[in-house]
Amino acid sequence: MHDLIANLSMGFGVAAQPYNIMLCLIGAVVGTLIGVLPGIGSLATIAMLLPITFGLPPVGALIMLAGIYYGAQYGGSTTSILVNIPGESSSVVTTLDGHQMAKQGRAGPALAIAAIGSFVAGCFATILVAALGVPLTSIALMFGPAEYFSLMVLGLIFAVVLASGSVLKALAIILVGLLLSMVGSDLETGVSRMAFDIPEMSDGIGFVQVAMGVFGFGEILRNLDNPGSRDIVQSKVTGLMPTIADLKASAGAITRGTVLGSILGILPGGGTIIAAFAAYTLEKKVSKNPERFGRGAIEGVAAPESANNAASQTSFIPLLTLGIPPNAVMALMVGAMTIHGIVPGPQVMTKQPELFWGMIASMWIGNLALVVINLPMVGVWVRLLRVPYRLLFPMIIIFCLVGIYSLNNSPFDVAMTALFGVVGYWLIKHDFEPAPMLLGMVLGPLMEENLRRAMLIARGDATVFLTRPLSASLLVLSLILLVLAVLPSIRKRRDEVFVEE
Amino acid sequence: MSEGVNSSPNAAIVRSQEHAGFAGGIIVAFAVITIAASIYNKGFQFFGPGLEPRVIAVLVGALGIAVMMRKVVIRNEQDFYGGLALVGLAIVALLATADLQGMRGFAFGPATAPRLFAGLLALLGGAVAITGLLTEAPPLERYDLTAPTLWSLAYFVFHFSEGMVWQTLAIGMIVLGVVLAYLSLRNPARRQMVRGPIFLVLAVLVFAETIRPMGLVFATFVTVLVSALATPEARWRETVIWGAALTVFCSLLFPYALALPFMLWPKFWY
């Protein structure tokens, strides 16, 4: 406990430096700015804004990225409430009651309670991340290559099981990601693999290019396909503050959502989405008059918003302690860390404590920034939503392109984004979910390395994954999960969870 | 676009039967090209390295023939073509790693893991394709990515290959893409469907081509103009003003505010 306080205060010492606070604030505002745009989720937002953090020192860059992440999430809920278009899948549930509230002229309280709920959840989750960081890291140090490999298999299976749609297709698309990650020089022998004699490919296919192409351009193309009219709340947003009755009604919902979200966020896979859905369902179950839900119940906004924020924060735990990104957003974070020369994993905490704790502290500051800056700016976001899409998308495109080009000053990277934009659009049309591909792409090198090492240590005996107890139990768990996901009765329930999407 | 009125499950079957000859033909052509390329690459050796991808390609080709002869009914186009494309990707990966060292004793070679994952991908892709024959689904939402794909691939062929043959091929791909794009844009039934991908990819490639020689100002302006055409709502005057505004903003933000090394003006100005 004493250590925890000492560590956290060191973290706040780092995060509270004026420069870092400024970066966190800028990140939160810019993240909201992009996240508010309909149809652009937090993944696409982070992918687009990643390049602007490259010139910063590592701590500053990660703090800014954390700010962008929370900003994007908050922006997503703003769009859900005001336009009834979820900015991302985790705020789908928010549209149900949030937009109803907005239609009744209570957009202000809805937005405020979303921010307050997120802030409370963020405070709790920050402490949880700090508290669980140390013990989990010591577990991670006991892991050998075989255990790491099995753990990553488990993570990928989780991602498959928790994703919507066909399990088979999700598995296949993960393998595509793994294959993509293997383009370029082999780490051990330096031999160029699948690079087709293109010198730029010998470093591998850039993660940012793929993310930007598949998520950024893919989504723009999809939005251009269905120009459907937007149902923006036209009335002025007045009366921002929720009443005492609102606060009383949502206090319980926020608490339950926070706890539920924190637990679900640690699980690998689409933690935030599940958290939001689960919290909404729970509220409906415990409510005395469940028929109010879907007609503008404030609990229906408070619970899922707290839950998805708590989950998005606790999903940093596997990343920071084990070095394994539990979802696609965290995978992007790994990409950003690697660009700054940081290898995520247990050694980050011991070798760069100021980075580790500074980032945790900045999560809290980022949350605070959202409440302080964003709420007064709601009017600006509303006006932004009225900008026609025909003007918005060329702007997004040009920022993405300049950002991509500035990575390596290479037109090759830009052309790669075009190719992956086509791929992303194709994936959407064929109903493949692209997020697992990104996760596979990030985990690919780690998986290959650990697989190779484990096999080498075991002298080519593949049963090593089953004879080491920890590794075996992880693999058995993955198998059970996979079987459960394919079982017809569970499948049906799982599809019901996603039915609102 | 999506055929909302007659979207009964049968619509998929009817349409897939109509296009069976064409679709099967493409599948067969892909199989033949990969097999031929791999045999040519290996100095006309039929066995030895690269055997697995050839076997898979033969299976794919057989499936293509079955489609052409209307022996199989594609009930779920999304899964059938999606799965087949993944198998195709696996074949390409297997061929690309065929020359590399595999297992050395019990140590992994550079090609071991890619082949392992490509093999798994071929299996799973095949399984997805087979579900496409067994399950029913509404017809695939129509799309046409031919021109954008041709152009973005041509970029790499043009810039990263040597020799007359490849360069001619790249130019051919570009020209073919232009012709197809022109024809599709002329056709009112297809215009809306192809417009977005064509102009978006074109804008990205224009940026890639112009940023080096022409500098940030020119590249930004032209890219905004081209990308704005991706929607039928584009208006000339508005787009030009907007393009100019974005150009000014980008030329201030990136080189000055973010201090990134950008050349603002064309090379010949310096």
Side-chain angles (χ1 to χ4, degrees), chain A residues 198-255:
Chain A
I198 297 177
E200 275 83 350
M201 290 260 274
S202 59
D203 285 342
I205 295 176
F207 182 74
V208 187
Q209 289 92 297
V210 175
M212 190 108 64
V214 170
F215 289 100
F217 293 174
E219 305 232 325
I220 291 177
L221 282 173
R222 193 175 51 172
N223 289 341
L224 287 174
D225 259 3
N226 1 303
S229 63
R230 283 191 244 151
D231 176 21
I232 302 184
V233 174
Q234 293 293 341
S235 59
K236 234 179 150 250
V237 179
T238 48
L240 193 60
M241 283 330 283
T243 58
I244 302 286
D246 285 340
L247 286 176
K248 254 191 199 152
S250 37
I254 290 177
T255 319

Side-chain angles (χ1 to χ4, degrees), chain A residues 191-500:
Chain A
V191 178
S192 168
R193 309 187 281 192
M194 301 186 272
F196 301 103
D197 291 330
I198 297 177
E200 275 83 350
M201 290 260 274
S202 59
D203 285 342
I205 295 176
F207 182 74
V208 187
Q209 289 92 297
V210 175
M212 190 108 64
V214 170
F215 289 100
F217 293 174
E219 305 232 325
I220 291 177
L221 282 173
R222 193 175 51 172
N223 289 341
L224 287 174
D225 259 3
N226 1 303
S229 63
R230 283 191 244 151
D231 176 21
I232 302 184
V233 174
Q234 293 293 341
S235 59
K236 234 179 150 250
V237 179
T238 48
L240 193 60
M241 283 330 283
T243 58
I244 302 286
D246 285 340
L247 286 176
K248 254 191 199 152
S250 37
I254 290 177
T255 319
R256 285 185 289 271
T258 303
V259 174
L260 199 60
S262 304
I263 298 167
L264 289 172
I266 303 178
L267 299 181
T272 51
I273 309 167
I274 300 291
F277 275 103
Y280 189 78
T281 319
L282 181 71
E283 272 326 296
K284 224 169 159 176
K285 285 244 166 73
V286 301
S287 171
K288 281 183 204 114
N289 31 1
E291 67 282 352
R292 287 192 307 119
F293 281 83
R295 301 205 185 118
I298 196 157
E299 299 99 307
V301 180
E305 281 299 309
S306 326
N308 77 30
N309 202 49
S312 67
Q313 205 141 327
T314 50
S315 64
F316 272 97
I317 292 178
L319 175 69
L320 289 174
T321 54
L322 303 173
I324 292 178
N327 54 43
V329 174
M330 290 300 127
L332 263 178
M333 288 284 185
V334 173
M337 286 179 161
T338 337
I339 286 168
H340 285 287
I342 305 160
V343 183
Q347 68 282 0
V348 173
M349 196 165 92
T350 43
K351 285 197 186 135
Q352 287 159 303
E354 69 289 342
L355 182 101
F356 183 87
W357 295 106
M359 196 161 148
I360 288 178
S362 75
M363 293 176 188
W364 187 80
I365 294 183
N367 272 309
L368 186 64
L370 285 183
V371 179
V372 177
I373 309 184
N374 277 357
L375 280 184
M377 283 172 79
V378 165
V380 179
W381 307 140
V382 175
R383 229 166 291 155
L384 187 68
L385 285 172
R386 298 221 176 99
V387 175
Y389 198 67
R390 63 171 190 275
L391 295 180
L392 276 180
F393 83 89
M395 183 174 83
I396 299 170
I397 288 172
I398 198 70
F399 286 170
C400 286
L401 292 182
V402 177
I404 282 284
Y405 178 74
S406 66
L407 285 179
N408 302 315
N409 277 336
S410 144
F412 174 86
D413 290 348
V414 176
M416 209 64 181
T417 339
L419 190 60
F420 276 99
V422 174
V423 171
Y425 187 67
W426 183 87
L427 288 176
I428 292 171
K429 287 286 179 188
H430 283 266
D431 209 12
F432 283 105
E433 222 185 305
M437 179 176 98
L438 209 58
L439 200 55
M441 202 178 155
V442 170
L443 287 180
L446 277 172
M447 275 185 101
E448 189 191 0
E449 202 188 324
N450 284 299
L451 178 65
R452 269 178 153 176
R453 245 190 254 160
M455 291 293 277
L456 200 61
I457 292 169
R459 316 201 122 245
D461 179 12
T463 55
V464 63
F465 297 104
L466 298 174
T467 48
R468 295 185 62 131
L470 200 52
S471 159
S473 40
L474 289 170
L475 284 182
V476 169
L477 191 59
S478 336
L479 192 67
I480 294 174
L481 276 174
L482 204 56
V483 171
L484 284 180
V486 203
L487 281 184
S489 57
I490 310 264
R491 270 207 72 80
K492 218 175 129 226
R493 282 204 58 117
R494 183 164 150 270
D495 291 343
E496 273 166 18
V497 172
F498 286 104
V499 87
E500 271 124 322

Side-chain angles (χ1 to χ4, degrees), chain B residues 55-247:
Chain B
V55 172
I56 302 173
V58 168
L59 290 176
V60 169
L63 190 58
I65 292 172
V67 172
M68 268 169 94
M69 313 266 291
R70 295 183 169 74
K71 291 280 182 220
V72 293
V73 182
I74 304 165
R75 291 166 204 277
N76 180 343
E77 292 177 298
Q78 278 187 349
D79 284 8
F80 182 75
Y81 294 116
L84 267 190
L86 296 189
V87 176
L89 184 71
I91 294 176
V92 173
L94 284 172
L95 285 177
T97 53
D99 289 335
L100 300 174
Q101 167 104 50
M103 293 291 279
R104 289 164 302 180
F106 47 72
F108 272 32
T112 314
R115 271 187 219 156
L116 186 70
F117 291 129
L120 277 172
L121 179 63
L123 273 180
L124 285 178
V128 173
I130 289 170
T131 34
L133 296 178
L134 302 177
T135 57
E136 304 231 333
L140 186 60
E141 219 178 286
R142 300 273 306 276
Y143 66 89
D144 182 355
L145 294 170
T146 331
T149 314
L150 280 173
W151 289 335
S152 37
L153 288 178
Y155 178 90
F156 297 104
V157 177
F158 188 77
H159 285 277
F160 298 97
S161 67
E162 276 161 27
M164 275 297 287
V165 183
W166 288 105
Q167 300 285 314
T168 324
L169 178 72
I171 293 170
M173 284 162 81
I174 295 172
V175 172
L176 181 63
V178 170
V179 171
L180 287 176
Y182 179 75
L183 290 179
S184 304
L185 287 172
R186 279 283 303 274
N187 182 346
R190 297 167 57 80
R191 187 182 297 147
Q192 178 55 29
M193 174 176 85
V194 294
R195 187 163 191 155
I198 283 182
F199 286 107
L200 200 94
V201 167
L202 193 64
V204 177
L205 293 176
V206 161
F207 187 86
E209 283 295 338
T210 52
I211 182 75
R212 274 272 170 85
M214 301 304 284
L216 186 66
V217 172
F218 181 86
T220 308
F221 189 66
V222 176
T223 307
V224 172
L225 291 196
V226 176
S227 64
L229 291 174
T231 164
E233 297 163 31
R235 292 165 203 172
W236 261 116
R237 194 186 303 203
E238 188 188 72
T239 308
V240 171
I241 297 171
W242 187 230
L246 283 177
T247 308

